[in-house]
Amino acid sequence: MKSLCDDGFTVLLETSGALDIAPVDPRVRRIMDLKCPSSGEVQRNRWENLQHLTSGDEIKFVIGTKEDYDWAKAQLADHNLASLCPVLFSWVTPLQPGQQDRSLKQVPAGQTPISRLELVEKIIGDALPVRFQLQVHKFIWPPDQRGV
C-alpha cells in the first residue's frame, strides 16, 4: 500500500475492522466495517481502530435485521461516529436460492429481518447522518455466479 501511495495511486482498503489499522499508511483511505449483531461477529470489532480513522476514511455497518439497525444507531450516537468520518449503512441483500449454502449464517433466532425500504425509511425518519449503500456486487453479477 505504501509503494502504491508513493507512486501516486489512490489506495482504498476495505477491512472488517477486526485487525489493527494503526500500521496502515495514513494516505490509504480505509473503509472499516463495524460488525452488527446478526453477523455473529460483534466481539471481533476492534474499537481501538476508531482513534486511527480520519475524515477521508469511512465506517460501514452491514444491516440485515431491525436489531442491527438499533445497534448501529446506538453506536453512531455513543461513539459520535459521524464526527470522525462518513458513515455508511449498507443493506444485506438476501441471497437467491442458488447462492445459499449451509455454511452461511442464517438470521439469528429472535432477530427480525429488515427490508431495504424499511431501512431507508428508518434512516430518514431518524434523520441519521449516514449514507445508504447497496451491495453493488449483488446487482452486477448473476445471483447464481460463484465467487461473488
Side-chain angles (χ1 to χ4, degrees), residues 14-129:
E14 287 225 23
T15 174
S16 72
L19 301 175
D20 185 6
I21 64 169
V24 175
D25 188 301
R27 297 172 294 175
V28 172
R29 296 178 64 188
R30 295 159 291 200
I31 300 99
M32 188 184 81
D33 279 12
L34 285 174
K35 297 296 185 180
C36 292
S38 72
S39 72
E41 297 184 27
V42 170
Q43 73 285 354
R44 296 188 66 212
N45 288 325
R46 186 178 170 88
W47 296 100
E48 300 87 351
N49 281 336
L50 294 178
Q51 66 186 331
H52 302 294
L53 296 174
T54 68
S55 61
D57 297 322
E58 296 176 350
I59 297 170
K60 179 173 65 172
F61 293 90
V62 179
I63 298 174
T65 66
K66 292 179 181 180
E67 293 75 15
D68 286 348
Y69 176 82
D70 292 338
W71 183 86
K73 180 180 165 186
Q75 302 318 306
L76 186 67
D78 292 349
H79 297 280
N80 198 18
L81 297 178
S83 71
L84 298 176
C85 60
V87 177
L88 312 172
F89 275 22
S90 182
W91 180 64
V92 175
T93 308
L95 298 175
Q96 299 297 315
Q99 295 172 300
Q100 295 175 2
D101 187 273
R102 287 185 304 181
S103 67
L104 298 174
K105 295 178 182 134
Q106 299 296 315
V107 172
Q111 292 197 27
T112 307
I114 191 169
S115 73
R116 178 175 45 210
L117 179 59
E118 288 172 315
L119 177 55
V120 170
E121 287 175 342
K122 282 182 166 289
I123 291 168
I124 293 169
D126 291 335
L128 296 185

Side-chain angles (χ1 to χ4, degrees), residues 124-145:
I124 293 169
D126 291 335
L128 296 185
V130 303
R131 289 192 334 236
F132 175 72
Q133 179 188 47
L134 297 171
Q135 294 178 309
V136 176
H137 61 284
K138 292 185 179 177
F139 288 89
I140 296 172
W141 288 279
D144 58 347
Q145 184 172 338

